Amino acid sequence: MCGIVGALLNRGQVLAGMIEGLRVLEYRGYDSSGVALAGSDGLAIAKCAGRLEALECHLEASPAPPARAGIGHTRWATHGPATDRNAHPHKDGTGRLALVHNGIIENYLELRAELAEQGHEFLSETDSEVCAHLIGRELELGGTLVEAVARALKLVRGYYAIAVLYAGDEPELVCARQGPPLCVGLARDGTWIGSDVLALIPHTRDVIYLEDGDLAELSTSGVVVRDATGALVERELQRVDWDVNDASKGSYAHHMQKEIHEQADVLARTAFHRLDEEHGDVRFDESGWSDAELSGVSRIKIVACGTAWHAGLVARYMIEGLARIPVEVEYASEFRYRQPLCEPGTLAVAISQSGETADTLAALRLAADLGARTACICNVAGSTMVREVQSHILTQAGPEIGVASTKAFVAQVVVAYMLAVRLGRAQGVIDAEQGRRLVRDLRLLRPGLERLLSDEMVQKIQAISQRHKGVKGFLFLGRGVNFPIALEGALKLKEISYMHAEGYAAGEMKHGPIAMIEAWMTSVVITGHGAMAEKVRSNIEQIRARGGPVIAVGADQASLNLADEAIEVPASSVWLSPILNVIPLQMLSYEIARMRGCDIDKPRNLAKSVTVE
Ligand code: M6R
């Protein structure tokens, strides 16, 4: 949730690179930020509440001393509100040691009481400050910084990624991870750390992902890593292929807007190289799956959170409908605590943009303990999830910076469709002819997506948004494979415009939500396919009969004709319609939020990657 950067350089000044890293990481947490620098005069700390610009203004007014070593942080508050004092870094009692932390120290109250009794004074309400004092206390007892950190962390219960800077004769930097991610970048000008590879890309592509329990001691020319047992370990050096421009807004006003408009390319990048038109099949080379392995899958459990959970719901319709394998979709946060059962032959599939969501990781580990084979559909190649599962499929959407997920969702649904085809082929449920048709349908989807992303469509959605931005609330309705799209449309609007919105299965409307219908409650209805189209038309009629305005989205012309506002979506197979239908809903949320003056890329109270419970 919080962002961490740091570096020990062999030349130059560290501050500018750290601020650059924090700017990239601000999407992880953005209620306060700070830096600590270790120079010849000891430790200098600058930190303040508010966005990163506040810290930059502060540093402009009171410039920091030159330094080659430093750590920095952007915060998403867990313990104590977003104030200057609670902002990281935190110091120990000696004032020579500074620490930044992402995670939660669960036993911080006991530790704080014990330290207070020993005379330690605390300046903040955070759990993190306790760690700084603990490490400082251990260091006073003797040994090196890395030994003191190791001893202190043995006393800590909880989840953390920490970076500890010590201003001695030579600055020292140690970091550790238990839960939230942390990676080390080996650059020409020194060694960098970041809670996300995006922060390292401006400096290097050569990255080491730390594993749970790792403790890393940085030097200006590399890193020494010890595992949880204290043994020296070699962690694989990996080359990151994301481009630094992927993480910029380019000419767009917001990351979310850029990410919405990238989706035709995301489809091509995620799918086209995997489509085997000749055999009517899909290749997931990185998964290592054989036909024999997939034909033994008798049940699928999907675990995920938020938008990724919606992608899981779409996947259920696709896999059950096309491959005829029973699928259950669970909130990871529920699955992990409800004593679930996994029958033999179960494949547990986690869906996650970040690959670091704490609940999803825990659910996946539980499924593995229960004997399931594990897989994930994930957007981040070096993430914890990708490294822990038996098989993975990368969504290849590129970095997603906007807190509200858009292109990652579409990529997840595209992968879900391909997975349904692959499973159906492996199990002999889909023959080569049907496989060819399904694969061809996906290949032909791109022009439809491009049409939805045209200027003409943007203008149309802006006009509709203008007319509906002031209503009391929104009801999103969809059926079948488009029911999860109704849920996703409502979530998007809630997240970035803070308007009340609910997603419902259209067939459920009469069982309650119809009571909400009135002139100031807009219903966004996703039109149906085949026999379902008529049923959705009835829903539209029923809403209109009660004076409720309707925005219809989809390809069924008769439904569009009945509505007050019609957003026509190109025709496709029913299975691919969610990929098209979700685009206008994303655009509607974006435009309404923009017109209401909301902070689209950094919505209040949210963080991109939920690495704590
Ligand atoms: O990184 P993940 O896909 O595991 O994240 C899961 C959810 O936290 C995420 O989808 C969240 O719901 C987004 N804010 C949705 O826009």
Side-chain angles (χ1 to χ4, degrees):
M1 313 202 78
C2 305
I4 291 177
V5 289
L8 210 52
L9 301 186
N10 51 41
R11 59 181 125 111
Q13 306 286 322
V14 76
L15 183 61
M18 283 202 326
I19 296 288
E20 192 180 358
L22 289 178
R23 192 166 297 116
V24 176
L25 289 183
E26 216 190 351
Y27 76 105
R28 295 182 73 99
Y30 34 82
D31 59 36
S32 52
S33 56
V35 290
L37 301 164
S40 49
D41 294 336
L43 205 60
I45 291 189
K47 57 182 189 170
C48 50
R51 297 287 160 86
L52 188 60
E53 294 94 71
L55 177 67
E56 290 179 282
C57 288
H58 177 86
L59 286 165
E60 226 172 85
S62 334
R68 287 194 182 158
I71 53 176
H73 190 263
T74 59
R75 180 169 185 246
W76 184 87
T78 58
H79 296 64
T83 59
D84 292 356
R85 278 171 169 243
N86 289 335
H88 297 216
H90 295 287
K91 282 194 284 190
D92 76 332
T94 68
R96 299 186 73 81
L97 182 149
L99 170 139
V100 289
H101 167 225
N102 175 23
I104 289 180
I105 307 300
E106 288 171 348
N107 58 339
Y108 88 102
L109 283 175
E110 320 159 17
L111 293 170
R112 190 175 163 123
E114 179 191 318
L115 287 158
E117 226 166 78
Q118 294 166 0
H120 291 258
E121 268 181 54
F122 292 92
L123 305 177
S124 78
E125 296 149 84
T126 66
D127 53 340
S128 315
E129 192 184 6
V130 163
C131 266
H133 282 263
L134 261 190
I135 297 168
R137 182 186 76 180
E138 292 302 318
L139 196 56
E140 298 226 312
L141 293 175
T144 63
L145 178 63
V146 75
E147 287 164 353
V149 174
R151 287 201 303 272
L153 290 179
K154 288 209 166 63
L155 306 171
V156 160
R157 220 172 43 240
Y159 308 93
Y160 51 78
I162 55 166
V164 185
L165 180 69
Y166 186 73
D169 295 339
E170 286 297 325
E172 292 175 65
L173 212 172
V174 167
C175 56
R177 159 184 188 185
Q178 182 63 51
L182 205 54
C183 37
V184 179
L186 304 180
R188 286 215 195 107
D189 64 349
T191 308
W192 290 81
I193 51 164
S195 46
D196 191 317
V197 279
L198 287 175
L200 304 178
I201 292 174
H203 312 289
T204 180
R205 301 301 181 93
D206 295 327
V207 168
I208 290 167
Y209 294 91
L210 295 183
E211 296 191 5
D212 269 352
D214 279 358
L215 188 61
E217 189 179 7
L218 271 66
S219 70
T220 55
S221 58
V223 63
V224 174
V225 184
R226 287 180 176 77
D227 68 10
T229 68
L232 287 173
V233 282
E234 287 277 333
R235 297 283 177 230
E236 191 191 345
L237 185 65
Q238 296 189 29
R239 186 108 185 125
V240 178
D241 61 4
W242 279 355
D243 195 294
V244 78
N245 294 324
D246 292 345
S248 78
K249 283 197 290 232
S251 57
Y252 290 92
H254 299 97
H255 284 288
M256 183 183 178
Q257 187 190 28
K258 176 176 177 244
E259 287 157 6
I260 288 172
H261 283 273
E262 279 171 4
Q263 292 180 107
D265 291 340
V266 165
L267 163 72
R269 240 185 1 245
T270 303
F272 291 177
H273 65 289
R274 287 166 162 150
L275 301 180
D276 176 353
E277 266 122 335
E278 193 190 334
H279 300 99
D281 209 337
V282 172
R283 287 190 313 268
F284 290 125
D285 294 339
E286 75 270 45
S287 71
W289 278 328
S290 63
D291 267 10
E293 190 175 344
L294 291 185
S295 63
V297 173
S298 55
R299 189 168 281 277
I300 293 179
K301 271 193 199 290
I302 296 179
V303 287
C305 302
T307 284
W309 182 75
H310 296 155
L313 293 179
V314 179
R316 173 168 69 191
Y317 284 93
M318 291 171 164
I319 295 170
E320 290 191 341
L322 290 169
R324 310 300 295 145
I325 300 171
V327 180
E328 285 170 286
V329 189
E330 302 236 21
Y331 283 124
S333 53
E334 287 297 316
F335 180 81
R336 65 181 289 195
Y337 289 119
R338 72 164 178 80
Q339 298 177 303
L341 301 169
C342 278
E343 291 166 20
T346 298
L347 175 67
V349 181
I351 304 182
S352 175
Q353 188 285 131
S354 62
E356 304 292 350
T357 303
D359 282 323
T360 312
L361 279 168
L364 203 52
R365 288 170 189 151
L366 176 60
D369 288 348
L370 295 171
R373 292 197 64 74
T374 59
C376 73
I377 297 171
C378 186
N379 198 38
V380 181
S383 62
T384 308
M385 210 171 286
V386 166
R387 283 179 289 120
E388 284 193 9
V389 287
Q390 289 165 310
S391 308
H392 68 270
I393 305 171
L394 294 174
T395 41
Q396 294 171 320
E400 189 178 65
I401 309 290
V403 167
S405 183
T406 52
K407 64 175 181 173
F409 174 76
V410 157
Q412 287 159 356
V413 174
V414 168
V415 168
Y417 176 83
M418 294 192 292
L419 181 58
V421 174
R422 181 77 274 276
L423 284 164
R425 292 291 285 129
Q427 301 222 344
V429 175
I430 297 175
D431 63 20
E433 193 42 48
Q434 191 192 357
R436 272 184 218 111
R437 244 190 347 263
L438 291 166
V439 160
R440 198 177 48 236
D441 287 349
L442 186 58
R443 169 95 56 197
L444 294 177
L445 200 64
R446 187 176 183 154
L449 276 173
E450 280 164 354
R451 229 174 310 148
L452 286 170
L453 296 166
S454 66
D455 290 349
E456 200 187 326
M457 183 56 90
V458 170
Q459 281 155 19
K460 179 171 195 130
I461 289 186
Q462 279 171 347
I464 295 176
S465 304
Q466 191 64 42
R467 291 193 282 273
H468 294 263
K469 66 171 198 275
V471 298
K472 210 161 84 182
F474 279 83
L475 189 60
F476 287 76
L477 299 171
R479 277 194 99 112
V481 71
N482 281 300
F483 158 48
I485 298 305
L487 297 179
E488 176 59 9
L491 178 65
K492 273 311 70 102
L493 189 66
K494 275 187 270 212
E495 280 185 299
I496 59 167
S497 76
Y498 320 136
M499 289 184 83
H500 180 71
E502 289 198 46
Y504 259 97
E508 276 291 294
M509 191 184 85
K510 285 203 284 294
H511 301 284
I514 197 164
M516 301 200 303
I517 302 298
E518 48 134 315
W520 289 97
M521 173 67 69
T522 296
S523 297
V524 180
V525 182
I526 304 163
T527 72
H529 275 70
M532 284 299 138
E534 264 178 35
K535 296 189 189 295
V536 176
R537 273 176 232 149
S538 305
N539 289 123
I540 297 177
E541 300 267 25
Q542 288 153 10
I543 298 167
R544 298 223 45 226
R546 286 159 182 81
V550 173
I551 303 173
V553 178
D556 178 53
Q557 201 55 54
S559 301
L560 297 172
N561 291 342
L562 289 173
D564 301 275
E565 316 267 14
I567 302 177
E568 189 174 350
V569 165
S572 70
S573 75
V574 64
W575 302 117
L576 293 174
S577 62
I579 298 171
L580 297 170
N581 288 333
V582 77
I583 308 288
L585 304 192
Q586 296 168 345
M587 291 161 93
L588 190 71
S589 303
Y590 173 80
E591 294 299 343
I592 290 178
R594 195 177 57 79
M595 288 170 189
R596 290 169 66 96
C598 301
D599 190 343
I600 290 176
D601 284 335
K602 299 189 183 80
R604 72 181 179 209
N605 303 336
L606 294 178
K608 181 72 183 162
S609 177
V610 185
T611 53
V612 294
E613 269 193 76

